[in-house]
Amino acid sequence: MVGKKKGVPEWLNSPLWFSNLSDDRRSSRYETITLSPEPSSPPPAPPQPEPSPSRPRLAVAQRSEIGAHSGELSPSWSSPEEESRESQLLADFQITLSSRIINLGELRRLAFQGIPHGVRPTAWKLLLGYLPLDRTLWAHELEKKQTQYYTFKDDLLLNPSEITRRMEDSAGSKNEDLSCLSTGLLSRSNIVHGEHPLSLMKSSVWNQYFQEAEILEQIDRDVKRTHPDMDFFCGGSSLAKSNQEALRRILIIFAKLNPGIKYVQGMNEVLAPLFYVFRNDPDETNASHAEVDTFFCFVELLSMFRDNFCKQLDNSLVGIRSTIEKLSQLLKRHDEELWRQLEVTTKVNPQFYAFRWITLLLTQEFNFSDCLRIWDTLFSDPEGPQETLLRICCAMLIFVRRRLLAGDFTSNLKLLQNYPTANINHLLHVANKLRGPTVD
Amino acid sequence: MVLVLAIGDLHIPHRAPDLPAKFKSMLVPGKIQHILCTGNLCIKEVHDYLKSLSPDLHITRGEYDEDVRYPENKTLSIGQFKLGLCHGHQIVPWGDLDSLAMLQRQLDIDILVTGHTHQFKAYKHEGGVIINPGSATGAYSSMTYDVNPSFVLMDIDGLRVVVYVYELIDGEVKVDKIDFKKTATTQSAH
């Protein structure tokens, strides 16, 4: 198989052929190009989802044409050339990460090709700017962040009963143990700061608590249904429970610290891969601080895409609508025929599919391991994640252009809202080629 | 952190038309988890109103209640505490703390919520605590006309209870609180 790959002419690797399902000859030749077409079996170490039943089978896909999943630990990656490439990449990473001052450019370049599982947590922390480039500062930074997070937890996760108790203690009111009085009428004492559960005052702790109750409920619900197919998040085990609790805490603290956007549905999906990666760090100490690291990296990540979540900015120059418009323009520039087909002929408004692609950073479109791979590129690209994301979305459209060109409104919408499984490396390769001012 | 409302002796419509407006504005749905109503509502409309405040409503029968199906006593567990509910007209002498303590020992509960006297009271004895939320509408009682509208909200948090007393005095809502803890000694030894 590998030998045949070398013999295939360059033009056949162009994205135009990838969505071709009808031509038998071409597809069978294509089949020899892709490596190990069998579906990826669950890799040994962290459990990763199968191409779950919710991913609809390609309508005509009897052959796993677009199907080779490129999870890093996929044991079906049998070719020796690939294995040596993998170990070379790992070695390169380890060299880059072991230098005292890490070369960010070099790290970005390596990360672009996909980060091996073991070094991913550290690489992401560096790429997101959580860890400083100077290795010697790491311990200090981490400690600082941990203290900060625990302060947040302490301040923000209390329920009103505990808060009022603290207020009393600090007000020095002598609410001695009244159980030392064995019989008799219980004496009434004054309430502190006018705080009582039915208080309607805006400044009341209780009132604020009930106002926020709705958000907390929403967070709770969303956390419980994050990745129901993954044991890591869902399932009865205490590990899953503690993971869900951690996600919950992070989202609550984030919502309280950012009253501007609070919690928006979908943030849990953006949070999940981060937490997963950090929690599965081979280094035990790091894994134990996964919650802290995830929180700050989540803040970093969202700050890059903050404007997408702010409702008021929806129609502004920086909001989600204009981002979708940019995607549309990008598509027009690179593939006008497809653009015309989508937006003019079949009238598939990009908001119908691109909204989820962009706001959730493609977490819902691909399986979990593919999503991690895409995020490697997203974080490492020097152009910035927003631009990279748009290019990847554009590549996704071009990838299935044959089917889009042949389809009508319903079938195109259906296709784009349930994006078929694809060879991620090819997809990212195409996305890379879309860089720059002129069409490829 | 469980909020339990203790309320009763409203006597709507016979002795009072409605709850005081200031109480009504505070009692909104979504905040209270349980309601213990001592009785004497007296009509279905009041029952429906209380039901709208919280899904978990417990009522015992007062002598003027139109619905005869309410039980005489009720017991339930909330968190670490066992609570009991009884209207109180059955316990003679009315409002006598020793007789109520007898009922408390009978029901084997930590907190007894009872009414009928239309006077707020919170009393502690070896067996536990007796709480009388008074009359929420300020209706006159069999014994006196001088009644301030009052009700009680308990915040049960682990082994600690904070009892918030809401009383309408001269048109203003006054809130006080009472703290108590459950320890091993307050459990009935019998």
Side-chain angles (χ1 to χ4, degrees):
Chain A
M1 273 192 212
V2 174
K4 278 185 187 158
K5 179 193 179 194
K6 285 188 185 141
V8 163
E10 179 49 34
W11 61 265
L12 201 54
N13 269 329
S14 114
L16 285 177
W17 304 126
F18 288 161
S19 54
N20 184 1
L21 294 170
S22 46
D23 194 322
D24 271 298
R25 252 177 309 138
R26 283 209 192 108
S27 3
S28 61
R29 205 189 297 190
Y30 177 60
E31 219 176 280
T32 62
I33 301 171
T34 56
L35 301 151
S36 36
E38 71 246 22
S40 68
S41 41
Q48 294 181 352
E50 293 271 27
S52 52
S54 61
R55 303 237 153 274
R57 315 250 163 263
L58 297 176
V60 203
Q62 288 84 22
R63 309 142 218 133
S64 58
E65 193 173 271
I66 306 188
H69 304 293
S70 53
E72 266 81 20
L73 295 184
S74 172
S76 58
W77 212 254
S78 51
S79 74
E81 191 184 81
E82 282 308 314
E83 271 178 13
S84 70
R85 190 180 77 89
E86 286 280 311
S87 49
Q88 179 61 34
L89 196 59
L90 183 61
D92 284 338
F93 263 105
Q94 281 165 342
I95 295 173
T96 317
L97 291 174
S98 58
S99 53
R100 205 190 74 112
I101 309 256
I102 297 175
N103 185 335
L104 191 59
E106 181 63 22
L107 182 64
R108 281 185 192 272
R109 191 188 68 80
L110 287 173
F112 197 74
Q113 303 169 42
I115 308 176
H117 174 76
V119 289
R120 188 177 266 138
T122 324
W124 277 15
K125 287 179 198 169
L126 285 162
L127 291 170
L128 285 171
Y130 174 60
L131 284 175
L133 292 176
D134 186 344
R135 279 186 77 104
T136 53
L137 296 177
W138 283 8
H140 173 75
E141 264 303 304
L142 289 174
E143 216 185 292
K144 210 173 67 174
K145 289 281 160 49
Q146 277 156 30
T147 333
Q148 211 178 7
Y149 186 71
Y150 292 133
T151 325
F152 288 150
K153 263 174 93 163
D154 217 25
D155 286 341
L156 299 172
L157 290 182
L158 290 178
N159 65 37
S161 309
E162 287 160 13
I163 300 179
T164 32
R165 214 175 308 166
R166 284 206 186 166
M167 279 203 267
E168 285 160 33
D169 291 341
S170 61
S173 37
K174 288 210 70 189
N175 277 324
E176 286 298 311
D177 222 359
L178 286 165
S179 50
C180 43
L181 181 71
S182 58
T183 43
L185 290 173
L186 290 169
S187 55
R188 295 149 76 149
S189 45
N190 290 323
I191 51 174
V192 187
H193 298 149
E195 282 288 354
H196 59 93
L198 298 178
S199 168
L200 295 170
M201 294 194 307
K202 280 216 156 42
S203 57
S204 155
V205 205
W206 288 93
N207 202 8
Q208 283 169 357
Y209 172 77
F210 287 121
Q211 306 272 18
E212 290 164 348
E214 215 192 295
I215 300 177
L216 295 188
E217 247 175 79
Q218 178 75 296
I219 291 179
D220 213 30
R221 257 178 283 149
D222 282 350
V223 162
K224 289 207 163 74
R225 51 183 184 193
T226 312
H227 292 293
D229 48 346
M230 288 180 74
D231 270 340
F232 184 82
F233 291 111
C234 258
S237 71
S238 61
L239 185 68
K241 267 188 173 312
S242 70
N243 290 336
Q244 278 189 352
E245 284 297 305
L247 287 183
R248 217 179 123 260
R249 282 193 294 264
I250 294 174
L251 289 170
I252 292 176
I253 295 179
F254 183 84
K256 292 204 180 182
L257 288 176
N258 292 281
I261 47 175
K262 294 215 231 308
Y263 174 74
V264 178
Q265 262 194 303
M267 283 184 182
N268 61 315
E269 299 292 344
V270 175
L271 180 61
L274 276 178
F275 185 68
Y276 179 86
V277 165
F278 293 155
R279 191 77 181 80
N280 286 310
D281 196 333
D283 181 330
E284 282 294 320
T285 357
N286 287 346
S288 61
H289 294 135
E291 194 180 327
V292 184
D293 297 338
T294 315
F295 174 75
F296 288 104
C297 289
F298 179 64
V299 172
E300 276 305 316
L301 186 57
L302 272 200
S303 68
M304 300 182 206
F305 292 96
R306 195 187 190 88
D307 297 334
N308 290 341
F309 286 100
C310 186
K311 244 184 143 63
Q312 280 95 337
L313 290 176
D314 266 357
N315 292 322
S316 76
L317 276 175
V318 290
I320 184 69
R321 287 239 171 89
S322 86
T323 314
I324 294 179
E325 182 58 33
K326 269 193 232 166
L327 172 63
S328 188
Q329 290 303 316
L330 193 65
L331 179 65
K332 186 171 179 199
R333 213 173 65 202
H334 288 281
D335 193 341
E336 174 136 11
E337 189 191 353
L338 182 59
W339 175 83
R340 197 172 299 282
Q341 164 74 353
L342 273 181
E343 298 210 13
V344 182
T345 320
T346 53
K347 292 205 186 359
V348 178
N349 189 329
Q351 282 194 28
F352 296 152
Y353 56 87
F355 188 85
R356 195 174 73 174
W357 290 5
I358 295 175
T359 46
L360 298 188
L361 307 181
L362 299 172
T363 48
Q364 302 287 81
E365 316 308 320
F366 299 100
N367 68 37
F368 201 70
S369 51
D370 285 346
C371 170
L372 296 184
R373 172 71 188 87
I374 292 182
W375 279 28
D376 288 340
T377 311
L378 214 61
F379 295 160
S380 62
D381 198 306
E383 254 189 28
Q386 184 92 276
E387 295 300 322
T388 319
L389 183 61
L390 290 182
R391 272 191 285 112
I392 298 179
C393 290
C394 195
M396 282 164 74
L397 291 170
I398 295 180
F399 227 59
V400 288
R401 75 189 302 277
R402 283 266 160 169
R403 291 170 69 178
L404 290 176
L405 287 173
D408 64 347
F409 175 79
T410 328
S411 67
N412 283 353
L413 192 61
K414 224 169 145 206
L415 178 67
L416 293 173
Q417 286 183 342
N418 296 290
Y419 197 79
T421 24
N423 183 324
I424 293 299
N425 283 324
H426 273 127
L427 184 68
L428 292 174
H429 176 74
V430 173
N432 194 23
K433 287 181 132 190
L434 294 176
R435 221 187 273 274
T438 50
V439 137
D440 181 45
Chain B
M1 197 202 69
V2 182
L3 292 180
V4 182
L5 177 69
I7 194 172
D9 288 316
L10 299 123
H11 287 278
I12 296 172
H14 310 120
R15 301 187 194 176
D18 202 358
L19 282 166
K22 292 209 164 133
F23 279 359
K24 265 201 137 160
S25 65
M26 284 199 296
L27 290 172
V28 293
K31 296 187 179 182
I32 300 168
Q33 274 89 47
H34 307 272
I35 301 186
L36 297 177
C37 184
T38 53
N40 274 344
L41 297 178
C42 304
I43 49 178
K44 189 174 180 308
E45 279 78 352
V46 184
H47 177 113
D48 293 337
Y49 166 72
L50 289 178
K51 193 94 186 161
S52 74
L53 291 182
S54 164
D56 193 35
L57 172 63
H58 302 272
I59 312 184
T60 46
R61 182 134 198 272
E63 75 271 42
Y64 290 103
D65 271 313
E66 310 231 327
D67 189 338
V68 299
R69 292 165 303 171
Y70 300 140
E72 296 284 315
N73 301 322
K74 217 164 192 201
T75 52
L76 63 148
S77 257
I78 293 176
Q80 309 268 13
F81 286 87
K82 287 182 282 190
L83 295 103
L85 189 59
C86 175
H87 178 249
H89 67 274
Q90 308 95 328
I91 312 289
V92 181
W94 290 337
D96 178 50
L97 294 165
D98 290 326
S99 315
L100 289 170
M102 211 158 63
L103 176 65
Q104 180 151 10
R105 284 191 290 273
Q106 263 181 334
L107 295 174
D108 188 26
I109 48 184
D110 303 309
I111 303 174
L112 173 66
V113 178
T114 178
H116 188 56
T117 60
H118 298 208
Q119 296 288 337
F120 166 77
K121 223 174 216 75
Y123 181 77
K124 186 182 193 323
H125 60 95
E126 305 90 47
V129 170
I130 300 171
I131 295 181
N132 185 331
S135 161
T137 49
Y140 59 85
S141 75
S142 321
M143 294 163 291
T144 172
Y145 278 100
D146 182 19
V147 176
N148 278 327
S150 66
F151 68 88
V152 156
L153 185 65
M154 294 185 276
D155 175 11
I156 299 180
D157 190 20
L159 286 172
R160 211 189 113 146
V161 177
V162 184
V163 178
Y164 292 93
V165 186
Y166 294 79
E167 214 173 339
L168 194 69
I169 301 176
D170 294 331
E172 285 305 318
V173 177
K174 197 169 169 307
V175 189
D176 292 322
K177 72 175 178 69
I178 299 170
D179 257 296
F180 73 89
K181 264 204 217 25
K182 171 174 164 172
T183 62
T185 51
T186 56
Q187 282 169 5
S188 63
H190 310 293

